Structure formats: C-alpha cells, structure tokens
Amino acid sequence: MRNNKGFSLVELIIVIAIMAILVGVMAPQLIKYIEKTNVSSDTQLCDTVKSAVTTAVMDPSVLNDTSSKSVIASGTGTWKAVKDLTGTSEFELAVQETLGMNSSSIGSINDKIKSAKAATSSIEFNIMGSNSVHVRIPYTDVNGKKDTSNASDATKIIYVD
C-alpha cells in the first residue's frame, strides 16, 4: 500500500477555480470602493482649498493690499487654477500659507488629485462675491471617472460650493 502525502491535481485545480471565482466577484466591488475613496479625498482637498481662499479673502491685510485687490477682482466670476498662484500678492501668499505650501510647491497641488489623472485636471477656484468661493476639479465626475467632454458642466465635476 502506497502512502500518498499531499494533494491530487484535481483537488488543486478545484481550489484554484474557487479562488478565481471569489476574486472575480470581489474585484469590481473593491474597485468601486477605491474610486469612492479617491473622490472623497479630492472633495476634501477642494474643501481645504475653499477654506484657504475664503480665509485669504476675509483677511484684513489682504483686503488692504492693492495688488491683492486686483487679483481678487480679476478672479471674481472666472475660474483660476490654484497652481497659478505665484505668491506675488498678499492674497496669493495667504492662500499658500493656509495650504502649507510656498510658491515653489504650489504647482504640485495637482499631484494630490487622486480621482482624475488627466493632464488637464487641476484644482480651480472662483470667487463669487465678498465671501462666497466655489472650487472644482474639471474633467472628472463624482464617480472618479475622467470626463473630457465638457469641463464647464458643473454636474460632471467634483465641485465644492
């Protein structure tokens, strides 16, 4: 009588097939959770930018600075990229300071975007009056998918009001 130790080929194939079925069922769910986490992270980043811009707009030293007034006025009603804040006015310096960045590192803020890695994606803000700020990441939607069809469509972008 032979003393076989180990598993037969059929048993190994059955175990591999069961594992493949489990991975096939669980992978789509895992991908959904990862996308949802990325969108949540980007929404939080947009909220941080919104707080930084709102704080800078309300700062008395920014309001008294002539160059800041022109930057704020030029940004009113138009979308400005956060990466373009060069630190040449009190407003730009206040935003950078609140975000914990400087003029050399502010350009890398788009590297923190997780849900859309399209080359055109950037964090943008719009000052809509004395203390109303909107922030968005265009070319993405709330599911973390890239959408390069229409960047001005607010329903298809991560948008913090």
Side-chain angles (χ1 to χ4, degrees), residues 7-117:
F7 299 104
S8 70
L9 181 62
V10 173
E11 291 171 329
L12 290 174
I13 290 174
I14 290 172
V15 169
I16 291 172
I18 291 171
M19 289 177 62
I21 291 169
L22 289 174
V23 168
V25 169
M26 294 181 69
Q29 295 298 322
L30 179 63
I31 291 170
K32 284 182 195 176
Y33 287 124
I34 290 172
E35 289 174 356
K36 191 174 179 181
T37 302
N38 289 342
V39 169
S40 177
S41 174
D42 287 348
T43 303
Q44 186 176 16
L45 180 61
C46 286
D47 194 39
T48 302
V49 169
K50 179 184 177 186
S51 297
V53 172
T54 303
T55 302
V57 168
M58 294 179 162
D59 188 359
S61 65
V62 170
L63 294 176
N64 294 331
D65 182 42
T66 309
S67 60
S68 293
K69 287 180 183 178
S70 64
V71 171
I72 293 170
S74 69
T76 303
T78 60
W79 291 98
K80 282 187 91 166
V82 174
K83 69 176 181 168
D84 295 336
L85 298 178
T86 58
T88 56
S89 68
E90 287 293 322
F91 168 74
E92 294 175 347
L93 289 171
V95 171
Q96 289 175 4
E97 183 180 335
T98 305
L99 290 174
M101 301 180 130
N102 56 33
S103 58
S104 62
S105 65
I106 195 77
S108 66
I109 194 163
N110 292 341
D111 296 339
K112 297 180 186 298
I113 298 172
K114 294 184 178 182
S115 64
K117 288 297 181 184

Side-chain angles (χ1 to χ4, degrees), residues 38-47 49 79 82 109-110 112-118 120-125 134-142 145-147 150-160:
N38 289 342
V39 169
S40 177
S41 174
D42 287 348
T43 303
Q44 186 176 16
L45 180 61
C46 286
D47 194 39
V49 169
W79 291 98
V82 174
I109 194 163
N110 292 341
K112 297 180 186 298
I113 298 172
K114 294 184 178 182
S115 64
K117 288 297 181 184
T120 53
S121 290
S122 64
I123 301 172
E124 300 175 346
F125 68 93
H134 300 278
V135 179
R136 71 179 183 180
I137 301 175
Y139 301 110
T140 185
D141 65 9
V142 293
K145 305 267 193 289
K146 295 177 189 173
D147 179 18
N150 187 1
S152 63
D153 184 1
T155 62
K156 295 216 179 247
I157 56 180
I158 294 176
Y159 186 77
V160 176

